[in-house]
Amino acid sequence: MFPKTKSFPSAKEFKAIEYLKFVASDDSFDKEDLKLLKRGAFILKEKFSYKFDLSFDEKEKILRSFEKSDIGAKWLERVLNYTLEALFSDPIYHGNENEIGWKSFRFTPGIPRPKICFGKKYV
Amino acid sequence: MYDVCIVGSGAGASPIAYELTKAGFKVVVLEKGDFYKEEDFSKDEIAYCRRSIVTPNLYKEYHLVEEFEDGKWKKTPTFKSKWDFFNGNIVGGASNFMSGYFHRLHPKDFRLLSEFKAIKGANIANWPITYQELEPYYEKVERVVGISGEVSYYPFLEPRSTKNFPYPPLKEHPIASFIDKTCKKMGINPVKTPRAILSKPNGKRNSCYYSNFCGSYGCSSGAKSSARAALLQKIINKKNFTLKIFSHVTKFTAKKDYVKEVEYIDLKAKKVKTIRAKLFVLAAGAIESSRILLNSKSGYFPNGLANNSKNVGKNLIFSAGGVVTAEIDEDVMDLRDLMIKGLFINRSIKDWYFIEDKKGGICDILFEHENPILRANRVKYQNEKLLWGEELYKKIYERFNKKRVLNCEIFNDWLPNDNCFVSVDPNYKDIYQMPVAKIRIFSHKHNQKIGNILADKCIFFLKELGAKNIEKFITPYPPTNLQAGGIRFGNDPKKSVLDKNCKAHEVKNLFVTDGSFMPTGGSVPFTWTIYANSFRVADFIKKEFSF
């Protein structure tokens, strides 16, 4: 869903998976979302025969047909949401590596930037 | 034994704590959250906008929302809907995270019932005090809490006891002059929006540094006039002041008609504790304050504390209205100027506060918040189709770099009615085994009617400004951060919970000073009025009680 383009990074480059693994392990992550993310991925693999080595067009076709189901639409929306979080959150959350998301979209973060994740206090 | 025990530490609680501590009372404040200071805050969108960090985890503490659907009342817990009514459970409360658009109520707001025709299905009531009685305290908030601005003329300008604001206006974005020109062309009087943000330093508080991440975020300079920065941090080292954090109040214990003690959970020690005081002041936010009273049942108060009249929780109000959004691009102004970040527009339109024989409202003009994750998510659908890949990337890039979204935020009266109230249901409890607040929500159709009149006026204005893709969103859904009412003040003990000084009619030593006291909310955000009223009640307590 997020391939590398001329101007923008791929999900692999901005570390979307690393981000998701990191935030999903925190208490603050929505537990219903976590269930949905796992279940949707399972259905996509088992029932829609999604494989990583398919061609771009084949994958697009499968995702668009998955989108037509209720769970597919919900799952894709959540995946997009967390991928966009990975792209634009502070790199301390393990995504947006080297600020690649901010730089490629010419976004300037607010100051002060977080030194600790999840709003914890500096002790 | 304390003289005064205050439940909550936000805009309704802190003026009491500040004034009474300075007057020598022995004061304790109970706050259920942590104590964050300037150095603890950052502009972290994940922490402050996308997770429940400074508000409770909804699976542990939640609300039950009742809405009218398909002919019946349907209950949904907020951990399912994600419709969060908590707004900031740390020292200073939600005022840490406000944007600080401050407006006074108009004198006529204090007697809406007498000034306008009654509206069927709306429980409009006059206030037991006048604007003139509250005016000195509006002025006090400008000075003590800190409001910057410049008085601008509009036909319904509220009378002021001082000529101007104590702090000059904040720096303005170049679009403000375009807005002024357009307004003048249309015969509208643009108002410079007063802001609860310091434009010059005061004591330990620095002035605004135009971070571009203000609303929803804690302030790192102390410029934002949160109850914490403006009031509590000034008394924190006083010997007669105690702040107890992680102290989650569950109920009051009453002996006949006075409160003996308050029960709270020490969340760190995981122990139930009590505190005794001569006076109790409740200010936990409109919904939670009603809930605490309703959960405080006793032999003398079988329906909950101060609730023998059965008025507690009734006539909950929000701010009605909505938003008109539009896009501004280089056809309106130079793109480099448009993209200047951090500076405020600070313009409001208040010419429509009264429209012919009706009560209207106001419009605050501002750019959409900078939050990149939120803004990227906003463009992910096109005609209900989810976008991804290059198509989505291009839309995000354009949204970030080629235009800005300008919002006209509309505020009008949310009419109090019989189907908008807080109650408790023993079947729905939080992790502390206390019944949660059940919020029945009903928006009177008049709310949307006025909201739409105001929105249409904003659309005319935005078209004249040259804005594109103008869309209006006037809904019956309440903004969760603008809640008031439920514990009304009034002269008649049968129809109100509090007397004109915000002391419970039925309880000798209980005051309520958050937004709950408001019988009607005016057509502006409530915070300035909550601060002002709390200073007024503090003066009354100082005069009437000595220990």
Side-chain angles (χ1 to χ4, degrees), chain B residues 16 128-129 257-259 278-282 293 301 305-306 309 487-493 496-514 517 533 536-538 540-541 544-545 547:
Chain B
I16 305 274
I129 59 168
D257 60 351
Y258 73 90
V259 180
K278 292 166 194 159
L279 280 188
F280 290 88
V281 178
L282 175 60
L293 291 184
F301 292 110
L305 185 62
S309 70
I487 309 177
R488 274 184 165 185
F489 77 159
N491 291 323
D492 184 352
S496 54
V497 183
L498 309 172
D499 68 14
K500 66 177 280 189
N501 298 308
C502 289
K503 190 190 83 62
H505 288 298
E506 300 172 6
V507 188
K508 286 205 170 86
N509 62 342
L510 176 70
F511 289 80
V512 182
T513 59
D514 51 29
F517 76 96
N533 181 63
R536 183 184 70 92
V537 175
F540 173 78
I541 294 175
E544 294 297 314
F545 295 85
F547 303 115

Side-chain angles (χ1 to χ4, degrees), chain A residues 1-2 9 19 30-32 60 64 67 77 80-81 85 93 105-106 110-112 118-119 121-122, chain B residues 34-36 39 43-44 46 50-51 53 59 82 209 377 380-381 386-389 393 397 401:
Chain A
M1 288 165 81
F2 291 85
Y19 169 83
D30 191 290
K31 54 186 184 190
E32 296 295 326
E60 179 72 11
R64 287 296 171 197
E67 193 188 7
E77 189 281 327
L80 261 177
N81 171 69
E85 284 193 2
Y93 288 98
F105 287 86
R106 293 174 61 199
I111 303 293
F118 304 112
K121 276 172 43 173
Y122 309 146
Chain B
D34 202 348
F35 190 3
Y36 279 60
E39 59 270 27
K43 306 306 180 187
D44 181 353
I46 296 290
R50 308 194 70 80
R51 302 289 187 273
I53 304 288
Y59 291 98
K82 317 289 178 213
Y209 67 104
N377 266 292
K380 73 185 172 194
Y381 283 104
L386 210 46
L387 300 179
W388 55 71
Y393 278 156
Y397 186 83
N401 294 287

Side-chain angles (χ1 to χ4, degrees), chain B residues 168-359:
Chain B
L170 294 154
K171 287 186 213 162
E172 288 171 2
H173 188 276
I175 200 173
S177 62
F178 281 86
I179 290 170
D180 288 346
K181 268 184 223 152
T182 305
C183 281
K184 274 178 200 142
K185 210 165 121 195
M186 297 176 77
I188 296 168
N189 298 282
V191 167
K192 288 199 178 202
T193 318
R195 300 294 299 274
I197 300 173
L198 300 191
S199 51
K200 54 181 192 189
N202 181 321
K204 288 181 181 165
R205 296 173 63 192
N206 292 318
S207 60
C208 179
Y209 67 104
Y210 305 93
S211 75
N212 199 28
F213 292 78
C214 184
S216 307
Y217 293 92
C219 181
S220 298
S221 73
K224 192 191 284 186
S225 296
S226 70
R228 172 192 49 78
L231 301 170
L232 295 182
Q233 279 182 195
K234 291 178 187 157
I235 54 167
I236 195 75
N237 293 322
K238 300 269 184 209
K239 280 194 180 118
N240 56 329
F241 177 70
T242 306
L243 172 66
K244 287 185 183 286
I245 56 173
F246 297 117
S247 300
H248 177 58
V249 168
T250 50
K251 62 181 177 188
F252 292 102
T253 310
K255 191 174 172 190
K256 274 186 76 178
D257 60 351
Y258 73 90
V259 180
K260 213 172 68 180
E261 59 190 28
V262 67
E263 191 178 292
Y264 69 99
I265 302 163
D266 180 330
L267 299 172
K268 282 284 157 183
K270 296 197 167 101
K271 270 187 185 153
V272 177
K273 294 182 176 174
T274 57
I275 278 186
R276 289 190 170 199
K278 292 166 194 159
L279 280 188
F280 290 88
V281 178
L282 175 60
I287 292 167
E288 289 303 294
S289 284
S290 276
R291 175 203 184 196
I292 291 170
L293 291 184
L294 292 168
N295 279 338
S296 306
K297 294 185 168 78
S298 64
Y300 197 81
F301 292 110
N303 310 311
L305 185 62
N307 195 26
N308 285 344
S309 70
K310 297 192 178 168
N311 281 304
V312 172
K314 302 285 165 64
N315 295 304
L316 180 72
I317 52 173
F318 296 92
S319 190
V323 64
V324 178
T325 69
E327 290 173 2
I328 305 288
D329 62 17
E330 59 189 347
D331 290 343
V332 173
M333 61 188 290
D334 183 85
L335 194 60
R336 276 166 307 181
D337 282 348
L338 179 64
M339 287 297 160
I340 294 173
K341 300 291 174 78
L343 301 181
F344 297 106
I345 299 177
N346 282 354
R347 286 297 184 277
S348 303
I349 300 175
K350 300 176 79 172
D351 281 6
W352 311 319
Y353 207 73
F354 303 104
I355 305 166
E356 293 157 15
D357 59 339
K358 289 185 209 66
K359 178 70 198 296

Side-chain angles (χ1 to χ4, degrees), chain B residues 57-94:
Chain B
N57 181 326
L58 291 175
Y59 291 98
K60 295 176 180 167
E61 291 178 59
Y62 62 97
H63 295 108
L64 193 62
V65 174
E66 260 192 322
E67 290 174 285
F68 201 67
E69 266 176 37
D70 307 325
K72 56 180 183 222
W73 290 98
K74 198 182 152 208
K75 289 185 271 200
T76 315
T78 52
F79 57 78
K80 275 207 176 134
S81 63
K82 317 289 178 213
W83 204 16
D84 194 347
F85 285 75
F86 291 109
N87 293 296
N89 298 117
I90 57 170
V91 173

Side-chain angles (χ1 to χ4, degrees), chain A residues 2 8 80 84 87-88 101 105, chain B residues 372-373 375-380 387 389-403:
Chain A
F2 291 85
F8 303 111
L80 261 177
L84 293 173
L87 185 58
F88 293 121
F105 287 86
Chain B
I373 302 167
R375 286 194 293 154
N377 266 292
R378 278 190 179 145
V379 299
K380 73 185 172 194
L387 300 179
E390 187 145 30
E391 230 178 338
L392 178 60
Y393 278 156
K394 277 185 182 157
K395 273 186 86 176
I396 296 172
Y397 186 83
E398 207 176 282
R399 179 90 166 206
F400 283 15
N401 294 287
K402 300 285 181 203
K403 58 192 170 191

